[in-house]
Structures are given as structure tokens and as C-alpha cells.
Amino acid sequence: GQTTSTATALSAGTYTVTVTDSRGCTIADSRTITQPPPPHVCGLNIACQNMTYQYCICTSHKGSTYEWTVDGGTIVCCPDSACVFVKWNTDCILGLITVTETDSNGCASTSVVFIVTVNTPPQPSITGPSVVNLGQTATYCTPDFPAHLFSWSVTDGTIISGQGTNCITVLWNSACNNCIGQVIVYETANGCCVTDTLPISIIPGTGNLTGYV
């Protein structure tokens, strides 16, 4: 055992200290040191590249301090608190998170590694006419991929077919307020949802315009 007046680097357990004075008299006392349980990380274990997520200590303790380590992403907020925000890298496929908690007594414990599967998000890109007449019908598409989900919304027009697919047909209103419409697609794959927006200029006139993109 240690023979100095101060014991250091002790692990959990019961320790007895014996003090002997210059006359050979001794006195002994025992103390039990407990190790705090390791913290647990709570948060989504499936994420998307280039997106930000929050991860927290499942049960935080008053007076504790925290030190987070992230592999595959960047801590963008609050690295010394019970919750952090992590932005996953664009080339990451597996993220790793650990946190060390130091309690008010100076005892530290480290979590098991929290593993995050980081998926590649879809990349929708709308094609179709960006200048239309009042009352014109037009088709708008984004590239199709198996198992991808699509949802569309339109301003100053009505989707008359194709909702839920990669292509829709829109009937633009016969009258408009500011005559600036838009087409938005929401594409979901691997738990990641990404949008693309195409602004639309609606001009007076009838019939379908040609020659505009």
C-alpha cells in the first residue's frame, strides 16, 4: 500500500489507514470509496450526413462536469454540458460518441461507446418549366430511385396527378396574387429527408409556354 500522508489514484473499495507516531502509538481508521456508475448517452442512433443532432446524458447529476468525444462528426455546441449538438461529417458512415462524467467529489467515469449509423441523404433536384402562364399545366420531376419516398407541395397551383411519385403534373391557378409560385419536393431515404424548391414565375396569358426552363 501507499505510505505517504495522502493516498492518490485509488479505485473503488474499502481502505484502512494506520498512523504511527514517534512513540510507536498507532491509530487506524477505514473509509469506503465508491465509483460512480458510468453515464449513458441518449439520442438517435441513426442519423444523416451533414445534419445536426442533439445527444444528452440520460441522467445528469448536479455538480458534475462532462467531457465529450466524437468520432466522425463535429461538436457544434456545448461540449462541457450534459447535452451536445453534433454535426455528422459528409463522409461519415459510423459515428462514435463517448462522454466522461466527473462528479462533485472529483470521481470520473466514462460511458460505453454510443454508436451512430450515419446515412447518406438523398439529393432531390427538380426539373420542369420555371416560367408558366396562368392556367397552364406542367410536369415537374426529380430523379427516381428505388425505395425512395416522395411528397410534393405547390404554391399558387394544384397537383392533379403524381403525388407520391418522382413526377407530378401541376395545374397553375387561373388567377394569382403576387404571381410567384413554387414547387417543393420532399425526398426520404435511409431515414433522411431532404427538400428541393423550384421558384415559379406565373405570367398573364393562356396556353402552355415553350422554350422556358
Side-chain angles (χ1 to χ4, degrees):
Q2 300 184 32
T3 58
T4 60
S5 60
T6 301
T8 60
L10 299 177
S11 58
T14 300
Y15 294 87
T16 300
V17 57
T18 301
V19 179
T20 303
D21 66 13
S22 59
R23 296 183 179 89
C25 299
T26 62
I27 187 172
D29 194 13
S30 296
R31 289 290 186 268
T32 298
I33 297 175
T34 59
Q35 179 70 22
H40 295 281
V41 178
C42 285
L44 294 176
N45 61 0
I46 297 178
C48 304
Q49 294 172 350
N50 204 36
M51 295 187 182
T52 300
Y53 298 82
Q54 185 183 50
Y55 298 91
C56 294
I57 297 294
C58 299
T59 302
S60 60
H61 301 96
K62 185 177 180 179
S64 289
T65 60
Y66 303 95
E67 181 180 352
W68 295 81
T69 302
V70 174
D71 184 17
T74 301
I75 299 175
V76 296
C77 179
C78 322
D80 301 322
S81 70
C83 291
V84 292
F85 289 87
V86 176
K87 183 176 183 179
W88 295 109
N89 297 342
T90 55
D91 58 352
C92 176
I93 59 174
L94 193 68
L96 306 176
I97 301 175
T98 57
V99 59
T100 298
E101 178 179 4
T102 302
D103 67 14
S104 56
N105 296 316
C107 299
S109 57
T110 301
S111 69
V112 298
V113 177
F114 186 80
I115 300 174
V116 180
T117 299
V118 185
N119 293 320
T120 302
Q123 296 179 320
S125 179
I126 299 173
T127 57
S130 60
V131 181
V132 297
N133 271 333
L134 292 170
Q136 177 178 338
T137 58
T139 299
Y140 299 89
C141 294
T142 189
D144 192 17
F145 295 95
H148 286 213
L149 302 177
F150 302 94
S151 181
W152 299 79
S153 65
V154 172
T155 302
D156 273 334
T158 302
I159 299 172
I160 58 177
S161 66
Q163 181 65 277
T165 71
N166 71 303
C167 288
I168 58 169
T169 300
V170 176
L171 174 62
W172 294 105
N173 293 345
S174 57
C176 57
N177 294 322
N178 57 14
C179 295
I180 299 296
Q182 64 179 4
V183 177
I184 304 175
V185 64
Y186 305 84
E187 184 176 353
T188 302
N190 300 319
C192 305
C193 182
V194 179
T195 67
D196 187 39
T197 301
L198 180 66
I200 306 296
S201 297
I202 307 172
I203 62 177
T206 58
N208 289 357
L209 293 174
T210 59
Y212 289 90
V213 295

